[in-house]
Amino acid sequence: MKEHLMTDSTIPHHHTSQIFVGGTWRAPTGDRRIEVENPATGEIVADIPEAGPEDAATSVALAAEAFDKGVWSGLDVTERGKVLTRVADLLDEHRDQFIEYVVRDLGSARAFAAFVHDISIDIWRDYARRGDEVALETVETGPDGRTVLLRKEPVGTVLAVVPWNGPIVLASLKLAPALLAGCSVVMKPAPETPLAPLLLADILAEAGVPEGVVSILPGGRELGEALQAQPGLDMVSFTGGTEAGKAVMGVAAKNLQRMTLELGGKSAAIVLDDVEPVDVMPALAAGMLGGSGQVCTALTRVLVSKERHDVWRDALKDLFESQVIGDPDDEATTYGPLASQAQMTRVLARIQDAEDDGGVIVTGGEALDRPGYFIAPTLVDGVTTNMRVAQEEVFGPVFALMVYEDVEDAIRIANDSQFGLSGAVMTHDIAAGVEIGRRIRTGTFSVNGFGAHMSFPFGGYKQSGMGREGGAAGLDSFLEIKQIALPAGAQLA
């Protein structure tokens, strides 16, 4: 098997010695470092500088200054869209390197990393296209006959907080619309997966984003708190856990910062009796095991009828045990490690909770005896709605098998959650599937599929967040609406 272990010598020197502040690489003000680990082996693959509070202050100040000067916000939206096209082209040109980085520091199976990277490219192209189509000014007439100019303007300086499980795709959902809108952005990637975001910094500069407009600062929670506390910050776009999101929301409330939150999920897949495992197993496999279950929209509750329970239990057991678990670099691997030792420890604790609550482990349930942070895909049977494994986000490969009496009961169980991010139904009756989707309280829903189409609005109900990313709604999140009312009888030329 080919060995791809990276060392600092294989990563650009400025990524290991400098940080990207206001569009330029410069030495950090502090001396703290981040050791980047390969979760498939436990080995350190890079050592990079961590940004500190002074770097946070400088980045936000530069972003606000650039915004006020109009070096980016003052450009026509079509010109900003052209830069986004160049970003997409460069993401495509450097595709192999991005995939390599995500395989190394996130541990994604190579095929999954490639799939997700291509979605990232599509996001940039979609927003670039919208630059030619969006109407930022419209003229309307009020009931009194007066003319009003409605104008959409960039919200200002944005803090984008990106989690470790989607270092480029989730960054793209924030950066692309924010930049198209004309905002300045300070992005904080997670310390576990900083390699691809640092390469993205190079691409943004090469594509023509002016100095001052974007900073990309690797760091942990302390850095995020320092960034959000800076004067001149107008908005926070946060993706992460629900409890962390509540903390961010509390600070935003004090400062009246605009915000979008994409938070946790506990998505249900309702399997109707008209489908056989062979019909829908590829969709279920993608929705459950992609990213080793570390996906916010993962289908972590599978709802089957009481009559068909044994069939689906055995089919899911076979699916889980058929996964090729191993080195993410191996093209044959379908299932990689969890992202870190801490993540593995949390997931094992949630498995123990499931057993303590009366759940039955059908397969998996333990760490694998090998280097790295591997837990076998775990199926928990006998789950009822009052169990923690049915209510709490695990964010790992632990899946609850639940039974329903009839379709009404299935809808009730699916909605019996504090979360409302995603969901799915598996059926040959598309009309019936759509009708079920209308009744599930989630921001996204699929019929015989999984996840969300990133060219359309994506977000959650209830404890899964607020606001939307993707599509026109994702762009509107970074825009303010102003009205300019004209005097009676006046018209715009």
Side-chain angles (χ1 to χ4, degrees), residues 54-278:
E54 292 182 23
D55 304 311
T58 300
S59 296
V60 174
L62 288 173
E65 180 182 10
F67 183 83
D68 290 341
K69 288 182 176 179
V71 296
W72 179 253
S73 58
L75 295 180
D76 186 81
V77 65
T78 59
E79 293 302 311
R80 296 196 294 262
K82 291 176 182 177
V83 175
L84 266 61
T85 296
R86 289 197 287 274
V87 173
D89 290 343
L90 289 167
L91 282 169
D92 196 13
E93 180 181 332
H94 296 278
R95 180 176 184 272
D96 290 347
Q97 189 63 68
F98 275 103
I99 293 169
E100 184 72 15
Y101 281 1
V102 174
V103 169
R104 294 274 67 78
D105 64 9
L106 179 55
S108 289
R110 186 167 289 273
F112 185 76
F115 168 74
V116 173
H117 187 73
D118 289 342
I119 293 174
S120 304
I121 296 171
D122 289 343
I123 290 169
W124 287 90
R125 294 205 189 284
D126 180 62
Y127 278 112
R129 173 185 60 81
R130 292 177 189 277
D132 293 327
E133 300 174 356
V134 64
L136 296 180
E137 287 191 350
T138 58
V139 178
E140 297 190 17
T141 302
D144 59 357
R146 291 178 61 187
T147 297
V148 175
L149 173 66
L150 297 179
R151 176 178 168 81
K152 293 182 177 181
E153 299 179 347
V155 71
T157 300
V158 176
L159 168 61
V161 181
V162 178
W164 49 260
N165 66 315
I168 295 300
V169 68
L170 298 180
S172 298
L173 275 173
K174 301 178 188 301
L175 279 170
L179 289 174
L180 183 65
C183 297
S184 297
V185 184
V186 180
M187 185 179 107
K188 190 196 81 64
E192 294 87 351
T193 54
L195 299 181
L198 294 178
L199 182 57
L200 178 61
D202 285 334
I203 280 179
L204 292 171
E206 184 178 347
V209 177
E211 289 189 10
V213 175
V214 175
S215 296
I216 296 181
L217 307 179
R221 181 172 296 180
E222 290 180 5
L223 176 62
E225 292 171 350
L227 284 164
Q228 194 178 1
Q230 297 305 313
L233 188 70
D234 299 294
M235 177 179 172
V236 181
S237 178
F238 175 89
T239 299
T242 295
E243 293 307 312
K246 290 177 180 179
V248 170
M249 187 176 182
V251 176
K254 293 179 182 179
N255 299 327
L256 286 180
Q257 294 161 337
R258 279 67 173 157
M259 66 185 318
T260 59
L261 297 172
E262 195 270 282
L263 306 176
K266 196 69 187 178
S267 302
I270 299 173
V271 182
L272 299 189
D273 283 347
D274 65 334
V275 293
E276 296 296 328
V278 68

